[in-house]
Amino acid sequence: MIMRTVRNQPRTTREDLVNDLKAAGTIVTKKTIGNTLRREGLKSCSARKVPLLKKAHIHARLKFANEHLNDSEDNWVKVLWSDETKMELFGINSTRRVWRRRNAAYDPKNTIPTVKHGDGNIMLWGCFSAKGTGQLHRIKGTMDGAMYRQILGENLLPSARALKMGRGWVFQHDNDPKHTAKATKEWLKKKHIKVLEWPSQSPDLNPIENLWRELKVRVAKRQPRNLNDLEKICKEEWDKIPPEMCANLVANYKKRLTSVIANKGFATKY
């Protein structure tokens, strides 16, 4: 009964199982239930957060994966991937816990210096291709369609030139309403920029997510003190990401598509 319940409802707690079994006339402790589940090869893990996928999203993801499954690697080399991300001042390494003795709470080693109005974050727009990272831009204020087009004007084309994308390169951005707005589509068309058709709710198909993670790890090691410092460090570290890392992400792109197909369109480990 324990195994059946958990198979159908992985979020069942040990307490729930104790009560279910009690109702069925069997008294067991939480410890016994934990041991039983572990013996069956299960362990309690935190559930991964993934985007909410509706039927249409799953369908679109499968369509994209199947349509591109046999594309050559050269095909992906021509793509300039882009995205926005939020960088926290106290991001990844903000392990706020320290090992200390009872009376050493205020030893400088055990405290985290904060600046007035210092906690917070900045929004960034960035792009990359198999050849390396493009420009990284700090988004100030709330981004609307007009601001997005300005960011593209100032950063996308210069990045494409700097990365020597050559003729026939393709621009990737997700289906955020600012990206798919009529005025933005017309702007891209006027600039003769070809856009990759993209399935919504699919960050796992955009390899730039791996670069954001890499950037966050690198920035955390440098412990920025305030938001301007954070922006400066982000730009420095973004430029230091090795082109080989970018090339690898793109070279392995097909694995993402096979994962989506294997997972029937649902979110993957990427």
Side-chain angles (χ1 to χ4, degrees):
M1 180 176 163
I2 291 171
M3 287 308 290
R4 190 168 58 240
T5 311
V6 170
R7 204 173 298 125
N8 295 333
Q9 231 3 76
R11 287 197 217 172
T12 314
T13 64
R14 290 180 308 165
E15 198 136 355
D16 295 338
L17 289 163
V18 166
N19 295 332
D20 288 353
L21 285 163
K22 198 171 176 182
T26 309
I27 307 289
V28 258
T29 62
K30 284 206 300 197
K31 196 167 191 263
T32 304
I33 286 172
N35 291 341
T36 307
L37 289 165
R38 268 193 296 279
R39 211 169 37 242
E40 293 290 338
L42 296 178
K43 67 175 184 175
S44 172
C45 304
S46 61
R48 296 285 188 268
K49 290 187 173 66
V50 297
L52 175 67
L53 294 174
K54 303 199 166 112
K55 251 197 179 126
H57 297 139
I58 291 169
H59 179 74
R61 286 164 58 77
L62 280 170
K63 182 170 178 271
F64 179 87
N66 283 306
E67 276 174 8
H68 292 287
L69 191 58
N70 296 317
D71 287 4
S72 71
E73 201 183 304
D74 289 347
N75 211 58
W76 300 115
V77 167
K78 287 200 181 95
V79 178
L80 193 53
W81 309 87
S82 77
D83 193 23
E84 294 92 24
T85 194
K86 181 159 79 173
M87 292 292 291
E88 303 278 351
L89 183 56
F90 295 114
I92 269 176
N93 71 336
S94 66
T95 316
R96 294 283 194 245
R97 306 187 70 81
V98 290
W99 292 103
R100 64 170 172 80
R101 300 198 182 279
R102 267 188 87 162
N103 52 4
Y106 286 92
D107 180 317
K109 280 206 300 288
N110 299 331
T111 61
I112 292 167
T114 58
V115 225
K116 255 206 181 122
H117 319 299
D119 223 357
N121 56 63
I122 61 175
M123 288 298 292
L124 299 171
W125 176 93
C127 64
F128 94 103
S129 82
K131 296 192 175 118
T133 52
Q135 294 191 15
L136 189 68
H137 175 85
R138 177 176 176 184
I139 302 166
K140 294 208 167 139
T142 310
M143 183 166 74
D144 57 8
M147 191 199 285
Y148 182 61
R149 292 187 288 281
Q150 190 185 344
I151 290 172
L152 293 186
E154 291 169 8
N155 297 277
L156 179 62
L157 294 164
S159 295
R161 281 194 291 274
L163 291 166
K164 300 191 171 56
M165 295 301 289
R167 291 176 65 118
W169 64 275
V170 180
F171 175 49
Q172 181 279 335
H173 60 175
D174 65 28
N175 297 334
D176 180 292
K178 294 179 280 293
H179 302 174
T180 55
K182 199 170 165 204
T184 304
K185 283 184 170 169
E186 280 166 5
W187 185 91
L188 289 161
K189 200 171 167 183
K190 202 171 87 207
K191 302 271 186 211
H192 307 292
I193 295 169
K194 195 176 155 194
V195 178
L196 182 64
E197 217 175 291
W198 192 252
S200 295
Q201 297 287 68
S202 300
D204 55 347
L205 285 171
N206 191 350
I208 201 170
E209 298 294 341
N210 301 59
L211 288 191
W212 291 142
R213 173 81 193 167
E214 174 70 15
L215 181 65
K216 285 169 187 178
V217 170
R218 287 167 174 257
V219 168
K221 282 184 185 149
R222 290 187 55 185
Q223 301 183 329
R225 294 181 308 277
N226 54 48
L227 296 183
N228 288 334
D229 199 22
L230 175 62
E231 178 183 359
K232 185 172 146 287
I233 290 174
C234 283
K235 288 182 171 167
E236 287 171 6
E237 292 301 326
W238 182 250
D239 290 339
K240 283 190 213 159
I241 290 176
E244 302 81 64
M245 181 178 278
C246 300
N248 277 339
L249 284 172
V250 176
N252 291 318
Y253 195 70
K254 191 175 176 171
K255 290 182 186 165
R256 290 172 194 259
L257 303 176
T258 15
S259 285
V260 167
I261 294 166
N263 214 13
K264 301 188 170 59
F266 285 97
T268 66
K269 66 169 184 182
Y270 292 99

